Amino acid sequence: MKKNVVALSIAAMLVAVSGQAISADQELNIYSARHYQTDDALYSEFTAQTGIKVNRIEARDDELLERLRNEGTNSPADVFIAVDAARLTAAGELDLFAPIDSETLAARIPEHLRTDTWIAFSQRARVIVYNPELVDGALVQTYEALADPALRGKVCTRSGSHPYNLSLGAALMNQIGAEATEEWAKGIVANFARPPRGGDTDQIRGVAAGECGVAIANSYYFVRLMNSDKPEDQQVIEAVRYVWPNQETWGTHVNVSGAGMLKNAPNKEAAKKFLEYLASDQAQIYFADGNNEWPAVPGVKADNPALESLGEFKADTTPLQQLSANIAEAQRIYDRAGYR
Ligand SMILES: [Fe+2]
């Protein structure tokens, strides 16, 4: 059923794109692998400001990439949006993006949060969560510490192949080197409380339940539980503590949601306008707050008390371009280490 709807709207987009009645600048086609309630306001505000109609196809990132590959030069898509550098890197490796050429974006988005082809619009931190009844907080202050034999049988993470962990591995490679990252991955595997399964929230729940002593999770999953009205979620938050990893060394690994203009975009001007709009103060707040993330543009503050209550932290500023270049090797390192 859902497939039919998507197929229909693709057909509608193709008609719109090839039709004579609509000039290229009045429409924008977005393929997005992220969807949050507040994103609706994000898109309607863009239309209100520019008069450009936004058509959205939302699906999983791998489905969208497959679609883009199949559509090739006939693709109606102008912009691709995804979460996590590893997924944006996958799009980059398929040579789907156009190079970025925008003074506005160069001025608004910090250099380390831009690559040649895609740009970060919000930031999330990969934090450590532990159960203070099972683990001494002093032992879990860095990513590296999670591989220490002192934590045998205590560590939970989702799959090593998941983009979030691949990006973390890519950051570790940059900071401690590929060899040390492989040793680290072996140490993590040796310390597992259970084989990787589930998402980041499942790891946090596992920590609260005492099945795991310590876990790695993206910050917004933690904030989502904080903001939840459900008593069982509040119990989880009460049972766990979070750590900003590596504050004394290279900083907490930060990942991103981002977007890029597609090489075959039929509406390049509209796409550029949209990417620049995403860097505006208002759009930054919509975009980041939709998933309890931090804006990418310095100085923009979302009104999110739970997020603010986490406080400030030192972030790793490894350039995304560098992180992106390490992803494939991070996967090979994890494979060798048995981090599946
Ligand atoms: Fe996520």
Side-chain angles (χ1 to χ4, degrees):
M1 185 66 187
K2 203 176 162 206
K3 259 194 179 147
N4 288 339
V5 174
V6 171
L8 266 177
S9 42
I10 288 251
M13 277 166 47
L14 284 169
V15 169
V17 166
S18 57
Q20 296 295 314
I22 300 165
S23 94
D25 271 329
Q26 290 171 347
E27 206 159 45
L28 178 70
N29 300 321
I30 296 175
Y31 282 13
S32 175
R34 83 167 232 151
H35 176 69
Y36 305 111
Q37 288 281 295
T38 52
D39 284 359
D40 293 338
L42 178 83
Y43 295 113
S44 55
E45 180 59 29
F46 174 70
T47 302
Q49 281 183 21
T50 61
I52 297 169
K53 183 173 176 266
V54 176
N55 305 306
R56 270 185 290 162
I57 299 278
E58 285 170 351
R60 277 179 26 192
D61 58 297
D62 50 348
E63 291 167 354
L64 292 176
L65 291 182
E66 182 65 21
R67 187 186 288 270
L68 282 164
R69 221 170 18 181
N70 290 338
E71 289 168 345
T73 52
N74 294 321
S75 177
D78 298 304
V79 169
F80 175 69
I81 300 179
V83 298
D84 200 278
R87 291 189 172 119
L88 288 149
T89 297
E93 277 168 1
L94 292 172
D95 197 22
L96 293 172
F97 288 128
I100 284 161
D101 175 23
S102 162
E103 281 171 24
T104 303
L105 291 171
R108 298 277 293 168
I109 307 286
E111 200 173 358
H112 71 280
L113 296 177
R114 284 183 269 126
T115 73
D116 298 338
T117 52
W118 54 268
I119 304 160
F121 289 104
S122 65
Q123 310 181 73
R124 64 272 293 284
R126 197 128 180 85
V127 300
I128 291 171
V129 177
Y130 70 97
N131 185 324
E133 288 182 11
L134 299 174
V135 166
D136 177 358
L139 295 180
V140 293
Q141 296 296 311
T142 65
Y143 300 112
E144 292 93 321
L146 302 188
D148 193 288
L151 295 171
R152 280 283 182 271
K154 295 268 185 349
V155 175
C156 287
T157 80
R158 75 195 306 164
S159 163
S161 293
H162 191 275
Y164 302 168
N165 283 333
L166 289 176
S167 292
L168 173 60
L172 278 160
M173 284 169 65
N174 194 53
Q175 298 294 348
I176 65 174
E179 234 170 87
T181 300
E182 189 157 340
E183 286 310 306
W184 175 82
K186 284 180 193 160
I188 291 286
V189 171
N191 283 349
F192 279 154
R194 63 183 188 199
R197 64 161 190 265
D200 283 356
T201 303
D202 297 308
Q203 316 311 317
I204 302 174
R205 290 192 198 285
V207 170
E211 195 183 342
C212 322
V214 59
I216 305 174
N218 277 356
S219 47
Y220 56 84
Y221 293 111
F222 193 84
V223 177
R224 206 178 282 169
L225 290 168
M226 283 174 89
N227 282 335
S228 167
D229 297 331
K230 293 183 188 155
E232 61 266 34
D233 290 342
Q234 287 307 315
Q235 279 167 15
V236 167
I237 288 300
E238 275 160 34
V240 304
R241 304 282 177 276
Y242 77 90
V243 171
W244 297 120
N246 295 67
Q247 293 304 283
E248 306 296 321
T249 56
W250 47 276
T252 298
H253 166 56
V254 165
N255 213 308
V256 299
S257 293
M261 186 199 297
L262 294 157
K263 196 170 65 176
N264 296 319
N267 307 299
K268 287 204 167 63
E269 231 170 279
K272 185 176 172 183
K273 268 187 199 159
F274 179 74
L275 294 175
E276 290 178 345
Y277 160 77
L278 284 184
S280 68
D281 283 11
Q282 184 62 65
Q284 277 286 290
I285 291 170
Y286 283 139
F287 197 83
D289 220 26
N291 189 33
N292 298 304
E293 295 178 68
W294 292 276
V297 175
V300 178
K301 266 204 156 34
D303 181 23
N304 187 331
L307 187 58
E308 265 170 48
S309 76
L310 294 183
E312 307 235 314
F313 65 99
K314 175 181 165 185
D316 176 23
T317 52
T318 297
L320 284 173
Q321 190 87 38
Q322 173 87 55
L323 211 69
S324 193
N326 288 351
I327 297 283
E329 181 62 16
Q331 177 72 74
R332 286 191 286 272
I333 284 172
Y334 284 177
D335 286 346
R336 286 196 296 271
Y339 187 12
R340 308 208 193 285

